Amino acid sequence: MVEMENTIDRLLQLMKAVTDDERKDKAVAEFLKDPMFLRYQSFSNQAVRILENDHFNYLYISDSITDLTGYTPEEWRQSGLVFAYKHCHPLDLLMLPWLTYQTHRALSKMTYEDKMRCLLSYDIRFRVKSGQYVRVLQHVHIWSCRQKESQVY
């Protein structure tokens, strides 16, 4: 897991330092070839999304998101996390601020090491492209966080 954390950290540092979209695309492409990421993704049978929490932009979205939701990775990337919220069931959307508060409250009591081992799961109803709502189970892994401040990103 430390190797994956270092790989994510390198990618995040580059994303913050580089303003040229072409260089960012190249960095993400290199990250996707990283053996640690490939090993992680091989265990996932559903869509994989990597969110950069400082700016709520997706660094990566697997093509399997289309099978799950009907939307392409490009459609997801255009609006970042806002896209997911816009397609969330209204009652579930009302629950997300409470869930976020409870998560941050729990994480604030954990050590850095505990945060890196933490697995969060919740399900939401998501409106797929056909207009129907489907229940999607979310598994959240923390791959990187600022050790000094212990902020998750």
Side-chain angles (χ1 to χ4, degrees):
M1 193 58 110
V2 172
E3 291 176 50
M4 178 57 88
E5 180 182 344
N6 292 337
T7 303
I8 295 278
D9 279 340
R10 285 195 316 271
L11 180 63
L12 290 172
Q13 288 170 6
L14 187 60
M15 290 299 141
K16 291 175 184 175
V18 175
T19 56
D20 178 18
D21 286 341
E22 188 173 322
R23 286 187 61 203
K24 283 185 181 183
D25 290 344
K26 183 179 177 187
V28 171
E30 288 175 15
F31 168 76
L32 297 178
K33 294 176 189 173
D34 186 283
M36 274 304 290
F37 177 73
L38 294 174
R39 194 173 345 152
Y40 172 78
Q41 189 175 18
S42 68
F43 290 108
S44 174
N45 63 353
Q46 292 295 330
V48 174
R49 294 175 290 148
I50 299 175
L51 180 70
E52 186 270 315
N53 208 29
D54 283 344
H55 301 101
F56 302 109
N57 293 317
Y58 289 108
L59 298 177
Y60 173 72
I61 302 173
S62 65
D63 290 335
S64 57
I65 196 77
T66 305
D67 296 334
L68 185 64
T69 68
Y71 296 102
T72 66
E74 292 75 31
E75 289 173 293
W76 279 80
R77 271 191 217 100
Q78 287 175 354
S79 301
L81 190 59
V82 172
F83 182 88
Y85 286 162
K86 284 184 176 181
H87 292 83
C88 185
H89 189 280
L91 294 177
D92 293 348
L93 189 59
L94 292 173
M95 180 193 66
L96 285 176
W98 176 84
L99 181 63
T100 301
Y101 170 76
Q102 293 295 340
T103 300
H104 283 282
R105 189 170 163 225
L107 289 172
S108 71
K109 297 175 184 176
M110 292 183 187
T111 65
Y112 173 80
E113 291 77 19
D114 288 339
K115 288 177 187 176
M116 297 311 298
R117 287 191 295 267
C118 183
L119 170 64
L120 308 168
S121 297
Y122 62 94
D123 70 315
I124 62 164
R125 290 167 286 183
F126 186 87
R127 189 178 66 246
V128 296
K129 204 164 201 172
S130 68
Q132 296 178 321
Y133 282 98
V134 297
R135 202 167 273 285
V136 177
L137 179 61
Q138 305 281 320
H139 294 294
V140 179
H141 300 266
I142 299 169
W143 281 349
S144 180
C145 69
R146 294 183 191 100
Q147 191 165 6
K148 184 176 181 182
E149 302 168 11
S150 284
Q151 283 185 317
V152 175
Y153 66 106

